[in-house]
Amino acid sequence: MAELQEVQITEEKPLLPGQTPEAAKEAELAARILLDQGQTHSVETPYGSVTFTVFGTPKPKRPAILTYHDVGLNYKSCFQPLFQFGDMQEIIQNFVRVHVDAPGMEEGAAVFPLGYQYPSLDQLADMIPCILQYLNFSTIIGVGVGAGAYILSRYALNHPDTVEGLVLINIDPNAKGWMDWAAHKLTGLTSSISEMILGHLFSQEELSGNSELIQKYRNIITHAPNLDNIELYWNSYNNRRDLNFERGGDITLKCPVMLVVGDQAPHEDAVVECNSKLDPTQTSFLKMADSGGQPQLTQPGKLTEAFKYFLQGMGYMASSCMTRLSRSRTASLTSAASIDGNRSRSRTLSQSSESGTLSSGPPGHTMEVSC
């Protein structure tokens, strides 16, 4: 009989001396919570320092989800309700996230000195390459609201090879005309900066209703310690240049785009016009009922569902649990797919809380889909 040899087996993750399995689980949970809180970084750019917070770890061959917030907000007040929504967890487990705060908008930001020249929206877009270089990220899927949607669009025009997709909420790609300027100046004589920004973020119906959400954000903006910084960002937004989108022209977004707006949002007309200027084979339009001016705050569930389908249309998360929208659209499109054998990304989405349906399909064709 061969001689038996004693072999010592060591645990791959041995417990610390005196550590119980329960304590080990608590330590692992604490480490996970710390990771979920994100890591905040700042990087110097030609136009000043910019702060951003990274959640998760990069996934091979996958872009990062990069967000940019609107005026009067920071990444937390703009996106936290959306990215903390239950169904969103399946998405964020598959992508690293980078939440950018516009200069001076991050929590605890010092007030800029009197006379400080705040970057233009074009210059804010030019800061993004410095962020991606710092993180060594090659491509992104951008999610922007208002001013942030404009900034990400400008970045995508300048760096199309680094943008795989865009979700643009409340985008206004047009520069202010003379009538807009006159109205803005007149409003400035009778309203405070905080009230003007609230009018930019929310519909008049929402402001008149003075819901708990409106009270919360009115308090955030009115009592913001960096309100002077917010005013500088607001001025840059109002001095934006025209993006000059032209359907069929050279100036257009080359990646898949999902445009989102509430049915009574202040920027509804601007988003509809933007949709008419973009490539219909690359653009989805989602008009959300009962969402007001900030769909990511008031309807995170519907927006999450649409975002998941948007990612699936780009070829990501194909094995994920399909949403009700995806299941119903898959069933409806089976016969069409057998005819042309080619799925088009062109679609128009319109949600209605009254009918409980969602219509979708390429231009000239409307498809009612239960959701």
Side-chain angles (χ1 to χ4, degrees), residues 294-348:
Q294 299 293 308
Q296 80 283 3
L297 300 180
T298 58
Q299 297 282 5
K302 291 181 180 178
L303 187 54
T304 296
E305 190 172 5
F307 187 30
K308 183 181 291 188
Y309 183 72
F310 180 70
L311 293 172
Q312 290 173 339
M314 294 172 60
Y316 294 112
M317 299 180 63
S319 61
S320 68
C321 178
M322 295 180 70
T323 61
R324 291 173 298 162
L325 165 61
S326 300
R327 287 196 301 269
S328 55
R329 276 190 54 81
T330 299
S332 301
L333 292 176
T334 299
S335 59
S338 64
I339 295 175
D340 58 23
N342 183 22
R343 180 178 61 187
S344 171
R345 283 196 179 102
S346 172
R347 52 198 178 269
T348 301

Side-chain angles (χ1 to χ4, degrees), residues 202-210 264:
F202 299 101
S203 68
Q204 289 303 313
E205 290 79 3
E206 289 176 289
L207 294 175
S208 299
N210 199 29
Q264 293 183 345

Side-chain angles (χ1 to χ4, degrees), residues 49 55 63 105 134 157 283 322 352 358 368:
S49 177
F55 290 83
M105 303 302 121
Y134 177 88
L157 290 175
T283 307
M322 295 180 70
S352 171
L358 186 147
E368 293 296 328

Side-chain angles (χ1 to χ4, degrees), residues 184 221 242 276:
H184 177 72
I221 296 171
D242 199 314
S276 70

